[in-house]
Amino acid sequence: MSPHPSHDSLPHPDDVALMRLIAEGDEEAFRLLVERHQHLVCGTITKMLGDPIEAEDLAQQVFLRVYKAAKSYQPSAQFKTWLFTIVRNLVLNEYRRRTRAWLQPLPSQDDEESGSYDAELPDKTAKSPDQQALEKEMMRAIDRAILALPEQQRLAVILRRYDEFSYEEIAAVLKTTVPSTKSLLFRARESLREALQRYLGEGESI
């Protein structure tokens, strides 16, 4: 019987190939998989929770579940949507464990210790200090407004705005339909538009 191809023999092994190798106990394949997805996973959780330290802990739990599920993993859906279903479940479980509601801004781009997971700010080149300060204030306001959304709306917005998921991918993660996903996003955008009125120009959208 010919040996199973290793990650060394595959120039760019896809996620499904890596999962097969992980199921056989290949630690290097697991390391490659984590490196490939950890920034996106940790960034999404950070935006959901507003806490980069807690997000790192939860991201580790996500990949631990991926490792444990490798032997039973069946590629019936895109790996990315399967992975983010795990993210969604762990984040929602975290919400259920919390006994009080709280709100705090996401880390800013100049917060080096928390990692660069925040929204993409416009290029600051040739901008006055006042303009830079206003942009930072607006991005923090956007972060706070997103954190104030209901859980499903918040995740839908983050996956769409920051992670560039398609409607179909978001629907798969949320275990709902594409029309329901579009409705969630519409309501979320209306809430954000109302919360950010002072920062938006005439006819400007989120």
Side-chain angles (χ1 to χ4, degrees), residues 40-52 54-55 58 84 87-95 98 102-104 106-107 117 143-144 146-159 162-163 173-174:
L40 188 61
V41 167
C42 201
T44 299
I45 298 172
T46 298
K47 293 182 182 74
M48 285 293 293
L49 299 181
D51 183 340
E54 193 169 1
L58 213 58
F84 273 80
V87 172
R88 169 187 175 270
N89 291 340
L90 283 174
V91 168
L92 294 184
N93 286 342
E94 177 62 25
Y95 284 137
R98 294 183 178 193
W102 52 269
L103 200 62
Q104 65 184 48
L106 297 182
Y117 298 130
D143 292 338
R144 287 192 295 269
I146 289 174
L147 278 170
L149 292 171
E151 296 160 8
Q152 292 283 82
Q153 290 183 28
R154 187 187 316 176
L155 183 54
V157 166
I158 290 168
L159 293 178
Y162 299 101
D163 301 339
V173 170
L174 299 182

Side-chain angles (χ1 to χ4, degrees), residues 40-101:
L40 188 61
V41 167
C42 201
T44 299
I45 298 172
T46 298
K47 293 182 182 74
M48 285 293 293
L49 299 181
D51 183 340
I53 304 301
E54 193 169 1
E56 287 183 11
D57 292 340
L58 213 58
Q60 290 181 6
Q61 294 182 45
V62 168
F63 288 110
L64 180 60
R65 289 200 179 188
V66 169
Y67 186 84
K68 289 180 176 179
K71 289 185 178 180
S72 60
Y73 172 71
Q74 296 294 328
S76 57
Q78 287 188 52
F79 176 81
K80 185 170 69 170
T81 55
W82 178 80
L83 173 64
F84 273 80
T85 299
I86 297 175
V87 172
R88 169 187 175 270
N89 291 340
L90 283 174
V91 168
L92 294 184
N93 286 342
E94 177 62 25
Y95 284 137
R96 294 186 188 106
R97 284 197 296 267
R98 294 183 178 193
T99 58
R100 62 186 178 87

